[in-house]
Amino acid sequence: MQSQAEILLKGKHRDEPISPQLRELLESIGTIRKIEKDGYIFHEGEEAHDIYIIQSGIVQMSKLAANGKELILRICKKNDLIGELTLFSDNPAFLLSAKILEPGEVIVINKDKLERALLENSMLTFEFMKWTSNHMRKFQSKIRDLLLNGKKGALYSTLIRLVNSYGIEHKDGWLINISFTNQELANFCAATRESVNRMLAELRKKDKIAVMKNGEILVKDLDYLKDEIGCEGCPIEICNIN
């Protein structure tokens, strides 16, 4: 049976891979490290000396919310870069934690070496900074939804992102073509399962969503969810679950 992480990676919208030139540069100054399931590559707040490119395995990127709950922000796979938001910053510390969901290997790239190499190639520097800018926008939008709208905003934005990633047009709205337990949804919202239960029940009562027999969620009124959180209409490349 496939794990939830493996299923999540089959969404419709994934980032474009880095160019062969940038990958060649990263590999030329990096070293291979094995990663084991349930371990961490780094923790939020730790001093950052390296960034990583995933060769194999699955890694969950998360942040502790103000209420102490873990907020899942990204699920990463082969060719994804992690820890990249610390580049070209003074006294860098990791903004997120990287938990290993499936074992594999990563390329460890020294941050100082990479900065020096990028400064010698303006085209690769531009590509790298554009790539990290997109991830920062994703990070900021998810944190914004949580801070400005609380648990409701986090759940509503998660449902919107799930529609963007897995939504199939349905006669009554958009069917999220993947089933989640309420606990799994809660993990994307830094909320408890009980609070997600209540919010989903409220949406069902208002006839904004329906839960199918197989556990899939039918979003009947996507505009309602967007209006409730003041959706800014970000492109799907930014507004997705990955």
Side-chain angles (χ1 to χ4, degrees):
M1 174 178 283
Q2 289 181 310
S3 68
Q4 190 70 18
E6 290 170 323
I7 294 172
L8 281 169
L9 291 172
K10 292 185 177 180
K12 295 182 292 186
H13 302 285
R14 294 289 297 165
D15 295 320
E16 290 298 317
I18 59 178
S19 69
Q21 293 81 8
L22 180 54
R23 184 177 178 85
E24 181 180 353
L25 170 62
L26 295 172
E27 291 179 344
S28 70
I29 60 176
T31 57
I32 298 292
R33 177 190 300 173
K34 290 186 178 298
I35 55 174
E36 301 296 335
K37 184 176 180 178
D38 295 328
Y40 282 82
I41 300 175
F42 51 81
H43 289 87
E44 176 183 348
E46 287 182 348
E47 189 174 349
H49 299 289
D50 305 300
I51 69 169
Y52 304 83
I53 182 168
I54 300 173
Q55 289 283 78
S56 58
I58 301 174
V59 177
Q60 169 187 292
M61 306 301 295
S62 62
K63 186 174 182 64
L64 285 179
N67 60 3
K69 296 289 184 180
E70 184 180 45
L71 175 63
I72 298 175
L73 292 166
R74 292 174 60 197
I75 303 291
C76 303
K77 65 173 182 60
K78 183 176 181 179
N79 294 331
D80 282 343
L81 286 165
I82 58 175
E84 77 288 345
L85 299 179
T86 64
L87 209 65
F88 295 110
S89 58
D90 296 327
N91 302 315
F94 290 115
L95 301 177
L96 308 173
S97 295
K99 182 179 181 179
I100 303 158
L101 300 183
E102 298 293 340
E105 293 182 338
V106 293
I107 301 176
V108 185
I109 303 147
N110 179 266
K111 174 180 171 293
D112 294 335
K113 283 185 180 180
L114 179 57
E115 287 177 354
R116 289 194 295 269
L118 287 175
L119 289 174
E120 295 174 359
N121 188 318
S122 59
M123 290 300 295
L124 292 186
T125 300
F126 177 77
E127 179 189 347
F128 194 93
M129 299 307 289
K130 182 178 179 181
W131 191 92
T132 56
S133 175
N134 284 339
H135 279 286
M136 180 59 78
R137 287 179 66 192
K138 284 187 180 185
F139 172 65
Q140 289 174 330
S141 69
K142 291 181 180 180
I143 296 298
R144 176 203 63 206
D145 292 337
L146 180 62
L147 292 178
L148 295 183
N149 298 291
K151 296 181 180 65
K152 184 181 78 171
L155 176 62
Y156 288 14
S157 65
T158 295
L159 292 174
I160 293 167
R161 289 183 171 92
L162 286 171
V163 167
N164 288 340
S165 297
Y166 304 97
I168 296 175
E169 283 193 71
H170 185 279
K171 62 183 180 64
D172 294 322
W174 289 91
L175 180 67
I176 298 171
N177 189 30
I178 179 175
S179 60
F180 288 88
T181 67
N182 287 1
Q183 182 59 62
E184 287 164 343
L185 286 174
N187 292 341
F188 281 99
C189 306
T192 64
R193 179 176 56 83
E194 292 76 14
S195 64
V196 167
N197 290 346
R198 289 192 296 270
M199 289 185 286
L200 290 175
E202 181 181 353
L203 286 172
R204 289 198 300 270
K205 185 177 180 180
K206 292 180 178 179
D207 199 33
K208 304 302 180 183
I209 69 167
V211 179
M212 316 301 280
K213 290 182 179 180
N214 61 1
E216 294 176 352
I217 295 175
L218 173 64
V219 176
K220 294 184 174 183
D221 193 342
L222 186 60
D223 288 338
Y224 172 83
L225 299 180
K226 291 181 176 181
D227 290 342
E228 285 292 294
I229 64 170
C231 177
E232 297 177 353
C234 297
I236 292 178
E237 290 74 19
I238 299 297
C239 187
N240 63 68
I241 206 66
N242 300 117

